[in-house]
Amino acid sequence: MSMATIITLWAIALTSNHHVTDADPWDSYRLPATLVPDHYNVTLWPRLTPDPATGLHVFTGYSSVEFECVEETDLILMHSNKLNYTRLEDTHMATLTAKGGVFAPSIKSSWLQTKTQYLVLQLNGKLVKGQKYQLYSEFTGELADDLEGFYRSEYEEDGVKKVVATSQMHPTHARKTFPCFDEPAMKAIFHINLIHSPGTIALSNGMEKEIINTTISGVAVTQTRFEPTERMSSYLLALIVSDYTHLSTKQGDILIRIWARRKAIEEGHGSYALNLTGPILEFFQQYYNISYPLVKSDQIALPDFYFGAMENWGLVTYRESNLLYDPVTSSNRNRETTASIIAHELAHMWFGNLVTLRWWNEVWLNEGFASYVSYLGADHAEPTWNVKDLIVLDDIHRVFAVDALASSHPLSSREDSIVLPDQINEQFDAISYSKGAAVLRMLSDFLSEPVFVQGLSSYLNNFAYGNTIGTDLWDHLQMAATDTGVTLPGRVGDIMNSWVLQMGFPVVTIDTTMGTVSQKHFLLDPKSTVKSDYEWLIPIRWMKSGEVQKDHWWLMEKTAVNTDMKSAGDWVLANINVTGYYRVNYDSGNWERLLTQLNTDHQAIPLINRAQLVDDAFNLARAKLVPTAQALKTTIYLSGEREYMPWQSALDNMQYYYLMLDRTEVYSPMQDYMRQLVAPLFLYFKNLTSDWTGVPDGHTDQYNQVNAVRMACSTGLTECQNLTVSWFKQWMDNPDHNIIHPNLRSAVYCSAIAAGGAVEWEFGWSQLNNITVASEASMLRSALACTNNKGLLKRYLLYTLDPAMIRKQDATTVITSIASNREGQDLAWDFVREKWNYMFTQYGVGSFSFAALISEVTMRFSTPEELQQLLEFVENTTTGFGSATMAVEQALERTTANIYWVQQNKQEVMDWFTSQR
């Protein structure tokens, strides 16, 4: 049996449990279309101290929902998960009444259908179409530390343990908090009432309306009632009880508040977010041409939070490191992260929250859109950064790597193929976010931004407070294109279908000897057997010897001729600024002309395209469309390049060579070449910063300074290693005074801990345990994985299973950081295999990113032995892979491709690096 056949069989085995077809309505994972909620009244009382009898933290609550019957039925299904119900009147789990003096049918039976997460009520009669009913229930749930639904987060402040009750309803966890119609199209108004300990504050989506102190069963409590929400999906609900404090300001009539631990607010870590939020909200109000729909914008930083952030309407939740910025210890990378994540979440306040896609099969449009416009929002807030260009590195190049695999998937899926909670979670991947952002940026480019924005505003106004499907947006963009006289080769929907309904992307090949232009589905593995006859409608911006051509040229078929692209002496360059979602290949003569231009005067080629040429060449070589030596040649010119984007593109691509070859004899000549390549950049920044006494002014120059230090040290440049070891020693000698600039800390910590031993590692660990700034903690956590001491790495891995040592939300990052260390790769893989069942069952999906874990720990796999181990791991795992199922398929495919690549290229790469000595 061939390896390809084995992998195909495994892929079938992995996905075969995804198709659920059962007869009874409560065995279906989708709600029937019989009932539509109008509003909920929900009261919840989280206990921030454990129950003395059980030792568990719990919450109690009662809720009523008013719904309309739109189709006659004798069955009520509502989502409910991990809730225990009080049997009301000693009989059923809920009571049913009808509005308007009509009698409601009595309840025949009630039970919990655990597998499909329903509260099921069978009735003795039919609900009447057009009649409104109210369902009331009382329940208890665990306020667990599982980062899902209503959960608890703990932290220490001044030696005192503090507990926060907080929430993550997205995508399917509102049902873990109270019984509800937990689907995005089941929009309703929520009236929320929180009962909490005196001295704590309660927050929700609506503004606090009434705060009263009272007693319940002899217990003193505070009760906070909130203004009703706007009509919205259940996944956007947020509930928080804490003893946080806040900063506030106004943007017009909008109240803006930043909430965090008292110490973080007192030390000014919320100020940057506060100052950004107003301008970003103002930008989006103008961009969408719609006022912000709410009266307040709360943003809160949480110690334990699985996602980077969550766009709950009016109360956005963040990981601390993403919202808080400390100018003393945070780097400019942290600052950009804060700006872009705030912009991403606030973009959702309109696109996603005001107008919501009907079902999770089109997650990409929601997340891809917010990812794209987050660059616009951040650019408005920080105009000197040129952050808009970075989408090419951070999203487009990143997702090309995944979308060029045979196991990729289209942006949109069929609605009936995404039903299980794990399938829904799987949708939130790089394809949805980054490819989504890339194709929407391309769409905005070929329509022109004013036309794109006109159609967008019309779409949002038309569907406000409602739900849509993706084609609704195409229809409104088409209307805008027609109104403004934009000429396109087809309707917007037809053009976009080729990018949305097909997986992957094309490589456009331009033969300048003939002027022929062709397209083909680009697959990274030349042996991939994908049966695709895909064709795309491709907008091409191009230039010829320094002159950009005016309009887009559209490639409408497999092969066409553009005589203007025929050239004997001038170089041709296509996909200017990478506004199109495709790679470009050329005839060998044009490649040589482009390489000559790079080596003589690289600035004649636009900055983004210098990064593109490197990235395209390396990936075309991996696909065996150009020689490997040609890809490596694109790096030679870098000895004279000082800009960040081309350097980062080269380092990203060299990372693959390191992953494949750093445990082979190629490692030494590769290190020699990279060291001589980066040495001029290292010396450039040394001089620019007056012998490392400061940092450059430019945002991306600061990034490239970090690259220079990291690469110079990791390739063994003695001057760099002496510098980082000396800085780290000065810090160890005076732990209260860290002289290392925040931008450089990540690189310096890693270099010094790698060069050092147990003493340096223990110092880093003790600093990690004393630090209160999340971004600094994140740098130390990653740096501790840089040690070459296997005993320390093993101990660090074990810490990930103890939440007292490493928070659950950070465990994945620690394991993957260790796997990225060539000394830690095998240790991390052994650990994941040994502990998988434990992690999968004990750590909920809200704690571990299982997909990232599988993806990162197998990233280096490039031998038949490793493939065999991976296959055995899949076969022997009894718990399954849940949301990591797709990641396992990709790992199998990627490992097979890696084995082939090493066999085909190792000697050529060895010879090339050796020839450069």
Side-chain angles (χ1 to χ4, degrees):
M1 191 184 291
S2 74
M3 195 55 72
T5 310
I6 292 170
I7 287 167
T8 304
L9 290 172
W10 276 116
I12 292 165
L14 282 163
T15 54
S16 62
N17 64 341
H18 275 205
H19 298 288
V20 180
T21 51
D22 288 301
D24 291 318
W26 48 82
D27 289 324
S28 165
Y29 284 86
R30 290 297 302 272
L31 288 167
T34 50
L35 310 174
V36 176
D38 180 73
H39 65 267
Y40 296 83
N41 285 284
V42 182
T43 296
L44 294 164
W45 183 2
R47 310 305 204 277
L48 302 189
T49 53
D51 180 274
T54 62
L56 297 176
H57 289 75
V58 299
F59 63 89
T60 52
Y62 52 90
S63 72
S64 65
V65 55
E66 185 174 302
F67 57 84
E68 182 178 345
C69 174
V70 291
E71 195 179 302
E72 197 175 73
T73 181
D74 58 3
L75 181 71
I76 297 174
L77 292 183
M78 285 175 72
H79 284 110
S80 176
N81 185 28
K82 299 184 180 176
L83 296 174
N84 294 315
Y85 288 84
T86 304
R87 292 266 173 188
L88 299 171
E89 298 159 7
D90 295 327
T91 315
H92 294 297
M93 295 179 179
T95 58
L96 179 68
T97 53
K99 303 295 284 182
V102 180
F103 281 105
S106 60
I107 298 170
K108 179 162 63 172
S109 59
S110 61
W111 74 92
L112 295 171
Q113 192 71 10
T114 310
K115 185 180 174 189
T116 44
Q117 304 180 344
Y118 286 130
L119 166 63
V120 184
L121 301 170
Q122 279 187 318
L123 309 177
N124 284 312
K126 299 267 191 189
L127 298 178
V128 179
K129 182 177 177 180
Q131 175 66 42
K132 289 190 172 169
Y133 298 89
Q134 196 166 63
L135 192 76
Y136 173 84
S137 60
E138 297 176 6
F139 46 86
T140 305
E142 185 186 351
L143 196 69
D145 61 352
D146 57 0
L147 288 74
E148 296 173 350
F150 205 17
Y151 71 92
R152 82 176 186 280
S153 173
E154 297 177 359
Y155 64 97
E156 207 169 273
E157 196 164 71
D158 298 328
V160 178
K161 189 176 97 166
K162 301 284 183 78
V163 179
V164 178
T166 184
S167 64
Q168 172 65 23
M169 307 305 186
H170 178 278
T172 58
H173 303 309
R175 64 191 69 172
K176 192 169 164 279
T177 308
F178 62 100
C180 55
F181 297 94
D182 200 11
E183 292 188 357
M186 294 289 191
K187 287 194 168 185
I189 293 164
F190 297 84
H191 301 260
I192 301 295
N193 180 28
L194 287 175
I195 298 166
H196 48 106
S197 307
T200 58
I201 56 107
L203 297 170
S204 187
N205 307 72
M207 192 66 196
E208 305 90 282
K209 178 168 70 172
E210 179 185 53
I211 303 172
I212 55 168
N213 293 314
T214 182
T215 57
I216 299 177
S217 305
V219 179
V221 294
T222 301
Q223 189 163 292
T224 303
R225 285 187 187 282
F226 298 91
E227 294 287 352
T229 66
E230 299 294 338
R231 187 166 297 281
M232 67 181 203
S233 303
S234 52
Y235 78 81
L236 294 171
L237 194 64
L239 312 161
I240 297 174
V241 173
S242 71
D243 81 338
Y244 278 13
T245 187
H246 71 282
L247 299 170
S248 66
T249 185
K250 294 281 286 240
Q251 176 77 27
D253 294 331
I254 307 163
L255 174 64
I256 295 168
R257 298 185 294 191
I258 306 295
W259 296 86
R261 292 177 291 106
R262 290 177 179 277
K263 196 167 248 182
I265 293 292
E266 287 161 10
E267 291 174 355
H269 301 171
S271 300
Y272 182 61
L274 186 74
N275 295 335
L276 277 189
T277 299
I280 291 175
L281 280 175
E282 184 57 37
F283 168 78
F284 283 128
Q285 290 191 112
Q286 291 175 7
Y287 182 76
Y288 295 124
N289 197 24
I290 298 175
S291 296
Y292 178 69
L294 310 176
V295 296
K296 58 107 168 168
S297 171
D298 278 333
Q299 296 174 99
I300 188 164
L302 297 164
D304 296 288
F305 193 67
Y306 173 56
F307 293 97
M310 176 59 212
E311 68 269 17
N312 314 300
W313 213 6
L315 176 53
V316 184
T317 44
Y318 294 82
R319 272 196 185 198
E320 283 194 352
S321 55
N322 290 336
L323 185 66
L324 303 181
Y325 174 77
D326 175 11
V328 179
T329 63
S330 301
S331 67
N332 71 319
R333 172 75 66 185
N334 299 134
R335 193 169 164 185
E336 188 198 306
T337 298
T338 295
S340 60
I341 290 183
I342 289 175
H344 179 109
E345 303 311 323
L346 295 182
H348 276 309
M349 300 300 114
W350 290 263
F351 199 104
N353 298 7
L354 178 67
V355 177
T356 310
L357 287 152
R358 186 174 74 194
W359 186 244
W360 303 110
N361 60 311
E362 293 187 303
V363 155
W364 80 268
L365 191 50
N366 192 21
E367 296 301 346
F369 182 84
S371 298
Y372 166 51
V373 299
S374 72
Y375 287 94
L376 310 186
D379 182 65
H380 176 80
E382 295 284 6
T384 62
W385 288 358
N386 295 327
V387 74
K388 280 199 278 195
D389 295 350
L390 298 182
I391 191 173
V392 174
L393 289 177
D394 297 344
D395 283 289
I396 299 175
H397 286 177
R398 168 177 168 247
V399 76
F400 270 164
V402 181
D403 206 20
L405 300 176
S407 56
S408 186
H409 62 92
L411 281 167
S412 281
S413 312
R414 286 195 342 269
E415 188 171 336
D416 61 5
S417 71
I418 310 296
V419 291
L420 306 174
D422 276 343
Q423 290 172 330
I424 292 167
N425 283 320
E426 268 189 338
Q427 298 306 296
F428 294 87
D429 64 358
I431 298 286
S432 291
Y433 284 78
S434 299
K435 181 179 181 175
V439 300
L440 290 167
R441 175 172 172 263
M442 174 172 68
L443 172 59
S444 176
D445 181 68
F446 71 69
L447 284 175
S448 82
E449 191 172 23
V451 175
F452 180 76
V453 167
Q454 181 181 323
L456 179 62
S457 179
S458 151
Y459 164 84
L460 291 169
N461 274 300
N462 193 68
F463 294 105
Y465 305 103
N467 292 86
T468 58
I469 53 175
T471 52
D472 294 325
L473 178 60
W474 308 151
D475 292 344
H476 281 261
L477 290 169
Q478 181 61 52
M479 287 190 279
T482 305
D483 288 350
T484 51
V486 172
T487 51
L488 296 172
R491 293 185 62 78
V492 170
D494 296 333
I495 295 169
M496 292 310 291
N497 279 347
S498 68
W499 299 97
V500 170
L501 302 180
Q502 300 179 143
M503 75 174 196
F505 58 90
V507 52
V508 170
T509 302
I510 298 171
D511 183 343
T512 61
T513 62
M514 311 288 290
T516 56
V517 188
S518 60
Q519 60 166 296
K520 187 182 177 206
H521 182 189
F522 179 79
L523 290 161
L524 206 49
D525 178 2
K527 301 206 318 311
S528 285
T529 53
V530 175
K531 298 280 187 288
S532 78
D533 197 29
Y534 294 162
E535 255 181 67
W536 288 265
L537 300 177
I538 307 173
I540 299 176
R541 283 191 182 279
W542 65 289
M543 66 192 293
K544 197 170 182 176
S545 279
E547 207 169 305
V548 179
Q549 308 302 301
K550 280 202 311 288
D551 297 317
H552 286 95
W553 182 76
W554 286 85
L555 178 59
M556 305 288 294
E557 53 218 323
K558 280 278 171 77
T559 306
V561 175
N562 181 339
T563 51
D564 293 338
M565 289 185 184
K566 190 173 175 180
S567 174
D570 295 335
W571 51 264
V572 168
L573 180 68
N575 202 10
I576 302 306
N577 293 332
V578 192
T579 52
Y581 185 69
Y582 51 88
R583 294 197 180 283
V584 187
N585 193 9
Y586 305 96
D587 58 283
S588 57
N590 195 61
W591 268 115
E592 284 305 317
R593 291 192 289 274
L594 286 166
L595 286 171
T596 302
Q597 183 65 64
L598 281 175
N599 288 314
T600 50
D601 174 17
H602 60 260
Q603 292 185 328
I605 293 174
L607 170 61
I608 296 177
N609 289 95
R610 303 203 295 273
Q612 172 217 17
L613 283 170
V614 173
D615 194 65
D616 278 356
F618 270 87
N619 284 278
L620 291 166
R622 278 179 65 184
K624 295 196 88 62
L625 298 175
V626 301
T628 297
Q630 184 168 301
L632 290 165
K633 277 187 204 167
T634 63
T635 65
I636 294 172
Y637 100 96
L638 288 170
S639 59
E641 175 68 88
R642 301 294 173 258
E643 291 286 351
Y644 165 69
M645 288 188 71
W647 262 103
Q648 188 60 47
S649 180
L651 295 178
D652 286 344
N653 282 289
M654 284 307 301
Q655 175 66 8
Y656 181 72
Y657 283 58
Y658 274 99
L659 288 171
M660 293 303 98
L661 303 168
D662 70 3
R663 295 176 291 169
T664 73
E665 65 275 20
V666 181
Y667 183 58
S668 179
M670 181 162 62
Q671 283 283 79
D672 292 344
Y673 174 72
M674 292 304 291
R675 184 168 57 251
Q676 74 186 33
L677 198 63
V678 81
L681 189 69
F682 180 81
L683 294 173
Y684 167 78
F685 282 113
K686 177 185 176 181
N687 295 330
L688 187 66
T689 59
S690 306
D691 205 7
W692 309 105
T693 56
V695 295
D697 293 331
H699 182 64
T700 52
D701 290 338
Q702 291 180 33
Y703 284 170
N704 219 24
Q705 181 193 24
V706 177
N707 279 339
V709 171
R710 180 178 286 119
M711 280 311 293
C713 280
S714 68
T715 54
L717 192 70
T718 309
E719 184 182 347
C720 181
Q721 291 181 331
N722 290 344
L723 180 72
T724 57
V725 167
S726 140
W727 277 343
F728 198 78
K729 178 150 191 341
Q730 288 178 61
W731 184 30
M732 287 176 69
D733 291 343
N734 187 356
D736 295 331
H737 182 57
N738 187 346
I739 60 152
I740 307 162
H741 191 281
N743 287 1
L744 298 173
R745 286 181 184 178
S746 186
V748 171
Y749 294 170
C750 182
S751 173
I753 286 172
V759 176
E760 287 77 9
W761 197 91
E762 294 291 358
F763 173 76
W765 176 252
S766 71
Q767 289 300 115
L768 174 61
N769 287 316
N770 293 329
I771 205 81
T772 57
V773 180
S775 54
E776 174 77 357
S778 176
M779 291 181 211
L780 280 165
R781 256 194 311 276
S782 296
L784 289 169
C786 296
T787 181
N788 292 312
N789 181 318
K790 291 200 169 186
L792 291 171
L793 290 172
K794 282 181 182 172
R795 190 205 313 174
Y796 199 23
L797 281 166
L798 285 172
Y799 285 176
T800 62
L801 297 181
D802 181 355
M805 302 297 250
I806 297 290
R807 286 185 180 279
K808 285 185 176 184
Q809 66 176 23
D810 299 318
T812 309
T813 315
V814 170
I815 298 167
T816 57
S817 296
I818 291 169
S820 71
N821 176 346
R822 60 199 280 262
E823 295 296 331
Q825 164 67 55
D826 292 341
L827 300 176
W829 171 230
D830 291 346
F831 180 79
V832 168
R833 282 187 293 174
E834 185 187 337
K835 305 293 184 187
W836 179 264
N837 287 355
Y838 175 81
M839 291 188 291
F840 198 76
T841 52
Q842 299 300 309
Y843 279 42
V845 70
S847 320
F848 260 62
S849 175
F850 291 111
L853 202 57
I854 292 290
S855 178
E856 296 293 324
V857 171
T858 60
M859 198 63 79
R860 258 197 180 79
F861 283 12
S862 54
T863 66
E865 294 75 25
E866 285 166 330
L867 179 60
Q868 186 59 38
Q869 287 175 8
L870 183 54
L871 285 164
E872 286 171 6
F873 172 54
V874 174
E875 185 175 3
N876 297 333
T877 299
T878 54
T879 54
F881 293 95
S883 61
T885 301
M886 202 184 293
V888 173
E889 292 171 45
Q890 289 169 346
L892 287 163
E893 181 190 348
R894 192 173 53 231
T895 303
T896 310
N898 289 346
I899 292 167
Y900 180 71
W901 186 87
V902 170
Q903 288 168 350
Q904 294 290 309
N905 294 283
K906 183 177 163 187
Q907 193 56 51
E908 185 184 352
V909 172
M910 178 82 176
D911 294 344
W912 193 86
F913 281 130
T914 307
S915 73
Q916 299 300 309
R917 281 176 157 169

